[in-house]
Amino acid sequence: TDGGRNLSLDSILMGLPMSDPTAWATAMNNLGMAPMGMTGQPLLPDFDPALGMMTGIPPINPMMPGLGIVPPPIPPDMPAVKEIIHCKSCTLFPPNPHLPPPATRERPPGCKTVFVGGLPENGTEQIIMEVFEQCGEVIAIRKSKKNFCHIRFAEEFMVDKALYLSGYRIRLGSSTDKKDTGRLHVDFAQARDDLYEWECKQRMLAREERHRRRLAEERFRPPSPPPVVHYSDHECSVVAEKLKDDTKFSEAIQTLLTWIERGEVNRRTANNFYSMIQSANSHIRRLINEKAAHEKEMEEAKEKFKLALSGILVQFEQIVAVYHSASKQKAWDHFTKAQRKNISVWCKQAEEIRNIHNDELMGIRREEEMEMSDEEIEDPSEMKETEESALVSQVEALKEENDSLRWQLDAYRNEVELLKQEQGKASRDEDTTKEQQMKLLQQALQGMQKHLLKVQEEYKKREAELEKVREDKLKIETLLENLKEQVCAMQGVAACRGTGLVFPAGFCLVTMTFVVFLSPGIISTFLHVHPFGASIEYICSYLQRLDSKICTAEVEVLMTRLQNTFRQELSGVGASLEKRWKFCGFDGLKMT
């Protein structure tokens, strides 16, 4: 948006006075262009483009579309040369080229309006139109009394051409009066109309983009399924026949599902729908048989693959045996060095390929063993019972594997010692092969040692798990014994001496002690204070202040058991009949 640097030379030419065709033709000739007028007619018919300063460039028409809309940027190191612009009523003088370019505000979106300040006091709209119509079509001019105005152009690129005039000194005619001169300041202006048109344009572009996306989505969208026919007896018979055909089953089952979801099932059509559902159920057996056939084919293919792979491995073993036999001293001495090198390379390659195929076969066997073990998994309850025995068996298996690995390790050590003894007797050619064998055996020995250490660590882990299971078992047994003792103690306390009371399971021991041992004394004291007796509710209300968990029925049962201490009497007549309890523990003493 820097008007002084971002405007092209074409914009300079657009500002030249059209009343002077000679100056226009000279400027076009310097650029190597065919001199053309504003309307496109040639000014010099006999112009030769080869005579211009820029040779080799074909004639360029400045009125070509796009030439003035997006002007080519001027390099920052090339200063823009501004010239004097002559108009009918005024003259524009360029600013000092050594001064910095005039400052501008941030360009608003869709800006088509510019602010022009520094106008002469005697300037009119006709003069402003004469100066700025060279930049493009002017739609409106809003002039103020304070020597500034707003100009709205038809297109956005015209604003850039108008900014080029910022900094020019304007003089009306040949007058030197202060009111007839001024320094133009052109800047971006923010207008509602510009913003509204820009938003409308953005919305239009967004609609077009959505339309293009919708067309693309519709192009890649799968076609909609065909409509399902309505239910009728004829269509029902057709669907029933399709359900029996494997090739048309999917279409028929979709139709049946749609009919059921539509609510076509009623008393009249229930039998037809039941027969179609029965046909769908019979298709399950066909699917199961088809799956079994495919599984059988897969198993046969696996067996064939295993047999073929086994045969290939056997042949590899035979080839490797041939290489090893050829590497022995009896035959090895008769080969040349090149032949020996080729045989050793071939032997290595064959061993690598054999090991790869052997690992593949072992992987297939492991997968089969894992599948067999998955099929033999027992129920969780049975697994809990057999967990300890499984751990014991695993520990024993690890012990056996540990012993076998130790024996193999001893065998490898003996082999290494024998190889070391034979190493001093062998020749130089044999030394290389023996060293390779030694390295291989050492690598194998290291691998066996690592494997042995892993097995020992796993053995220790299994033993720790076994000890943990045994400790858990002992803890559970002790907990069971403690629970049994607590239950027996609760039942023994519940059977109190002389009361005959049996309290329910889970009854609080504190409450039971209070009812059995403390309640008789408290009740006796309470009734001794009340010589005329008290009702059972009154007694229980008093006891509940001491213990809120006391039940009225339990207290009444206790007082009924103790007949020598408490006695129940009836008082009142008819509806006012009332049961009262009295203390009779001292009645026998009074009689004596």
Side-chain angles (χ1 to χ4, degrees):
T1 60
D2 193 352
R5 294 183 179 180
N6 296 340
L7 199 63
S8 66
L9 294 174
D10 183 38
S11 301
I12 299 173
L13 295 175
M14 293 295 290
L16 292 174
M18 296 305 300
S19 61
D20 189 2
T22 305
W24 178 268
T26 303
M28 298 293 288
N29 186 20
N30 291 337
L31 292 175
M33 303 179 184
M36 306 292 290
M38 293 295 291
T39 57
Q41 74 276 11
L43 296 177
L44 299 175
D46 56 348
F47 173 76
D48 186 6
L51 299 177
M53 295 178 65
M54 300 175 66
T55 59
I57 301 176
I60 300 175
N61 187 356
M63 302 307 295
M64 291 174 61
L67 186 61
I69 295 177
V70 184
I74 297 175
D77 55 348
M78 181 184 294
V81 179
K82 294 185 177 182
E83 298 179 356
I84 300 174
I85 301 174
H86 299 279
C87 298
K88 291 181 180 180
S89 305
C90 63
T91 307
L92 300 178
F93 297 94
N96 188 354
H98 300 290
L99 293 177
T104 57
R105 61 180 294 180
E106 185 180 358
R107 182 167 188 160
C111 180
K112 297 181 183 178
T113 306
V114 294
F115 167 82
V116 182
L119 295 172
E121 293 184 8
N122 296 333
T124 60
E125 291 189 6
Q126 289 78 12
I127 296 173
I128 297 171
M129 178 68 74
E130 182 183 349
V131 172
F132 285 95
E133 70 180 355
Q134 301 178 28
C135 301
E137 181 184 355
V138 177
I139 295 177
I141 297 177
R142 296 191 296 275
K143 188 175 181 302
S144 176
K145 296 179 181 179
K146 296 183 179 180
N147 303 332
F148 70 88
C149 68
H150 290 85
I151 304 175
R152 190 164 189 263
F153 293 97
E155 299 295 338
E156 294 183 23
F157 70 91
M158 300 175 183
V159 174
D160 298 326
K161 294 183 178 181
L163 288 175
Y164 177 75
L165 300 177
S166 182
Y168 270 79
R169 290 183 294 107
I170 184 171
R171 185 177 68 185
L172 302 181
S174 60
S175 174
T176 58
D177 191 3
K178 187 175 182 181
K179 295 183 179 181
D180 294 334
T181 59
R183 185 179 295 276
L184 298 180
H185 174 69
V186 186
D187 198 357
F188 298 109
Q190 191 168 5
R192 294 181 182 175
D193 297 338
D194 298 343
L195 183 61
Y196 176 73
E197 290 183 3
W198 182 78
E199 289 177 350
C200 292
K201 186 177 180 181
Q202 296 299 318
R203 284 195 291 269
M204 183 183 67
L205 294 175
R207 284 195 298 271
E208 292 178 357
E209 181 65 22
R210 286 196 299 270
H211 181 66
R212 284 195 295 270
R213 288 182 181 177
R214 193 180 300 111
L215 291 177
E217 289 176 359
E218 290 177 356
R219 192 182 302 114
F220 294 105
R221 185 180 299 167
S224 13
V228 179
V229 297
H230 291 280
Y231 175 81
S232 63
D233 294 337
H234 173 69
E235 295 295 337
C236 179
S237 60
V238 172
V239 171
E241 291 297 328
K242 288 182 179 179
L243 286 171
K244 297 177 183 178
D245 190 358
D246 293 342
T247 58
K248 302 178 181 179
F249 178 80
S250 300
E251 179 184 355
I253 199 70
Q254 186 64 33
T255 304
L256 176 60
L257 176 62
T258 306
W259 284 349
I260 294 173
E261 290 179 350
R262 283 180 184 173
E264 301 286 351
V265 182
N266 51 36
R267 291 185 179 181
R268 186 177 65 83
T269 61
N271 293 329
N272 295 333
F273 276 99
Y274 180 76
S275 62
M276 288 189 287
I277 293 171
Q278 192 174 8
S279 300
N281 185 39
S282 63
H283 188 74
I284 294 175
R285 292 193 292 273
R286 295 199 294 270
L287 293 176
I288 292 172
N289 294 332
E290 186 178 355
K291 181 187 174 185
H294 287 304
E295 288 179 350
K296 186 176 180 181
E297 291 177 0
M298 186 177 68
E299 293 295 332
E300 290 177 355
K302 281 184 179 180
E303 291 296 330
K304 288 181 181 178
F305 177 71
K306 279 172 35 178
L307 291 174
L309 193 59
S310 300
I312 291 170
L313 284 174
V314 170
Q315 295 177 10
F316 269 117
E317 292 290 344
Q318 293 173 354
I319 294 170
V320 171
V322 169
Y323 288 142
H324 285 307
S325 61
S327 300
K328 291 182 180 179
Q329 188 176 2
K330 292 180 181 179
W332 191 255
D333 295 339
H334 300 287
F335 294 116
T336 63
K337 290 186 177 180
Q339 291 173 348
R340 292 175 184 174
K341 185 177 181 181
N342 291 334
I343 291 172
S344 60
V345 170
W346 294 340
C347 182
K348 288 181 181 179
Q349 293 177 352
E351 287 178 350
E352 290 177 357
I353 298 171
R354 179 197 62 185
N355 294 334
I356 291 170
H357 285 77
N358 194 9
D359 293 340
E360 187 176 356
L361 183 60
M362 293 299 293
I364 295 171
R365 289 177 180 174
R366 287 195 204 97
E367 289 178 359
E368 291 180 352
E369 291 176 358
M370 289 174 66
E371 290 177 358
M372 294 292 292
S373 63
D374 291 340
E375 292 175 358
E376 294 175 357
I377 289 175
E378 299 176 354
D379 295 335
S381 60
E382 296 178 358
M383 286 180 64
K384 291 179 181 179
E385 295 176 359
T386 59
E387 185 178 3
E388 186 175 355
S389 60
L391 287 172
V392 173
S393 61
Q394 287 179 4
V395 169
E396 293 176 355
L398 288 172
K399 284 182 179 179
E400 294 176 359
E401 189 176 0
N402 191 7
D403 294 336
S404 64
L405 289 172
R406 284 179 182 174
W407 295 334
Q408 290 179 11
L409 186 61
D410 294 335
Y412 279 120
R413 285 176 179 171
N414 294 332
E415 244 176 289
V416 170
E417 290 176 0
L418 291 173
L419 287 172
K420 285 181 179 179
Q421 292 175 2
E422 293 176 1
Q423 187 176 4
K425 302 177 183 178
S427 61
R428 294 180 180 178
D429 295 336
E430 291 178 353
D431 290 343
T432 57
T433 57
K434 291 286 181 68
E435 287 177 359
Q436 293 176 358
Q437 291 179 359
M438 282 288 293
K439 289 180 180 178
L440 292 174
L441 287 173
Q442 287 176 358
Q443 291 176 0
L445 185 62
Q446 291 176 358
M448 293 294 292
Q449 288 177 350
K450 291 179 180 178
H451 187 61
L452 181 62
L453 292 173
K454 289 181 181 178
V455 171
Q456 289 178 352
E457 290 177 359
E458 190 174 359
Y459 174 69
K460 292 178 181 178
K461 289 180 180 178
R462 295 292 182 180
E463 283 186 344
E465 289 178 359
L466 184 60
E467 290 294 331
K468 193 174 181 180
V469 169
R470 287 175 181 172
E471 290 176 359
D472 293 341
K473 187 176 179 182
L474 290 173
K475 289 179 181 179
I476 291 168
E477 289 178 356
T478 53
L479 286 173
L480 287 173
E481 290 178 358
N482 293 333
L483 287 173
K484 287 179 181 179
E485 290 176 0
Q486 290 178 6
V487 169
C488 293
M490 291 294 290
Q491 291 179 355
V493 172
C496 299
R497 297 177 182 177
T499 61
L501 294 175
V502 179
F503 292 88
F507 193 78
C508 182
L509 186 60
V510 177
T511 303
M512 184 170 57
T513 306
F514 183 86
V515 172
V516 175
F517 298 101
L518 301 178
S519 294
I522 295 170
I523 295 169
S524 300
T525 307
F526 180 79
L527 293 178
H528 188 67
V529 178
H530 297 77
F532 297 101
S535 62
I536 189 67
E537 289 80 11
Y538 188 25
I539 297 169
C540 288
S541 65
Y542 178 74
L543 293 175
Q544 285 176 355
R545 294 179 183 175
L546 303 175
D547 191 357
S548 59
K549 296 180 181 180
I550 291 176
C551 182
T552 306
E554 296 170 355
V555 175
E556 190 173 3
V557 171
L558 177 63
M559 294 175 70
T560 306
R561 295 283 183 180
L562 302 173
Q563 296 178 0
N564 296 328
T565 308
F566 307 106
R567 181 175 67 251
Q568 187 179 13
E569 292 180 357
L570 300 175
S571 62
V573 179
S576 63
L577 187 65
E578 185 181 2
K579 294 181 180 180
R580 289 180 174 273
W581 289 88
K582 292 185 178 181
F583 177 73
C584 61
F586 297 149
D587 291 349
L589 296 174
K590 292 177 182 179
M591 291 175 66
T592 55

